[in-house]
Amino acid sequence: MNPRKLLSLLLATLLLCGGMTACLGGEPPSSDSESESPTSPDATDTPDTNAPDTGDGGEDSTEPLPPPPEGVFIGGAALSEFTVVRSADMPEGQVTALEFFVEQVERATGVALPIVTDDRTAEREIVIGVTNRENAALSRAVSEIQNDGYALVVDGGDLYVSATTGRGVVYGMMELLEQYLGVRLYARDFIHYRPLGHVSLEEGFQQVFNPAFHARRTWVDNLCSDPLEQVIFL
């Protein structure tokens, strides 16, 4: 082959190879660029679930309140601080019912309440029936009573159980036992005591109950010799 033609062919080949290299993108990327990886935006926005609670308004930032203490409280004071007060001339049936009431309170709560007449005073009192302990709050409640109804009032830190009839007084004591102290009087020889937990009659508490029926007596008095059976269980 003519040397001049051979040289021309070599030059043409070199030019062709150079053009192909340029079309393929030039030199390959360096190893440094391959080692760099972009940071995921999700990774920066995801909160750290293991971070401690700072107490700045989260759902668990408020500590739960402690449970209330167990026992019976009247006007904020424990039942064990109270004395039962009655009149010196309380009728026999009411006295018998009152003694039964105090006995059941002790069995239900473990608290033995002393009983005094209203010629004596105590720091905290549970006043039963008509006594010399009248006050404005009690008078207002008693004015709402009808027939054998009763009133339960907490005023001045004391608890009053009052009525306009003797039977109403007894019903008020039984209401305290059954509604607030967990006592269930099914029969004279079958009384059940429920767990109490926390019971509180706050200052200003008032409950007035009036029965739907004018008379609720279904027996003849002279058939019963026991005053307690006359007013409660028959």
Side-chain angles (χ1 to χ4, degrees):
M1 179 180 293
N2 188 328
R4 182 175 295 178
K5 290 184 178 181
L6 180 61
L7 179 60
S8 299
L9 181 61
L10 290 175
L11 291 175
T13 302
L14 290 175
L15 291 174
L16 179 63
C17 290
M20 293 180 63
T21 301
C23 292
L24 293 175
E27 295 182 357
S30 64
S31 59
D32 291 340
S33 62
E34 291 179 351
S35 64
E36 295 178 1
S37 59
T39 302
S40 170
D42 293 337
T44 58
D45 295 339
T46 303
D48 185 2
T49 57
N50 296 323
D53 185 5
T54 59
D56 296 333
E59 292 183 359
D60 300 329
S61 61
T62 302
E63 294 187 4
L65 296 175
E70 293 189 354
V72 180
F73 298 85
I74 300 172
L79 180 64
S80 57
E81 301 181 27
F82 284 80
T83 297
V84 174
V85 178
R86 68 170 181 86
S87 67
D89 58 350
M90 175 179 273
E92 180 186 3
Q94 293 182 49
V95 172
T96 305
L98 175 59
E99 292 171 350
F100 174 81
F101 166 77
V102 170
E103 176 188 348
Q104 298 308 310
V105 169
E106 182 174 5
R107 291 187 178 184
T109 68
V111 176
L113 295 172
I115 303 175
V116 301
T117 53
D118 59 2
D119 56 348
R120 298 174 56 184
T121 60
E123 183 176 356
R124 298 187 181 276
E125 299 179 341
I126 299 176
V127 183
I128 307 294
V130 179
T131 66
N132 60 9
R133 302 291 204 271
E134 300 297 322
N135 58 50
L138 182 61
S139 297
R140 286 193 300 270
V142 171
S143 67
E144 301 177 15
I145 296 175
Q146 299 176 11
N147 304 322
D148 287 340
Y150 54 81
L152 308 179
V153 177
V154 177
D155 183 70
D158 299 323
L159 171 62
Y160 297 85
V161 181
S162 192
T164 55
T165 66
R167 290 179 58 77
V169 173
V170 175
Y171 283 130
M173 288 188 282
M174 298 308 109
E175 174 72 3
L176 273 177
L177 291 177
E178 294 188 330
Q179 184 68 23
Y180 300 103
L181 301 183
V183 181
R184 293 295 180 266
L185 304 169
Y186 295 110
R188 180 68 179 267
D189 57 352
F190 180 40
I191 302 174
H192 177 68
Y193 305 91
R194 293 185 175 182
L196 281 180
H198 177 81
V199 178
S200 179
L201 300 180
E202 301 291 345
E203 177 69 23
F205 168 83
Q206 176 179 302
Q207 177 181 342
V208 177
F209 173 80
N210 290 309
F213 295 97
H214 177 78
R216 294 184 289 174
R217 306 182 72 169
T218 58
W219 63 90
V220 179
D221 287 348
N222 59 13
L223 297 179
C224 305
S225 58
D226 186 339
L228 182 61
E229 290 184 353
Q230 289 187 32
V231 296
I232 301 177
F233 291 107
L234 290 182

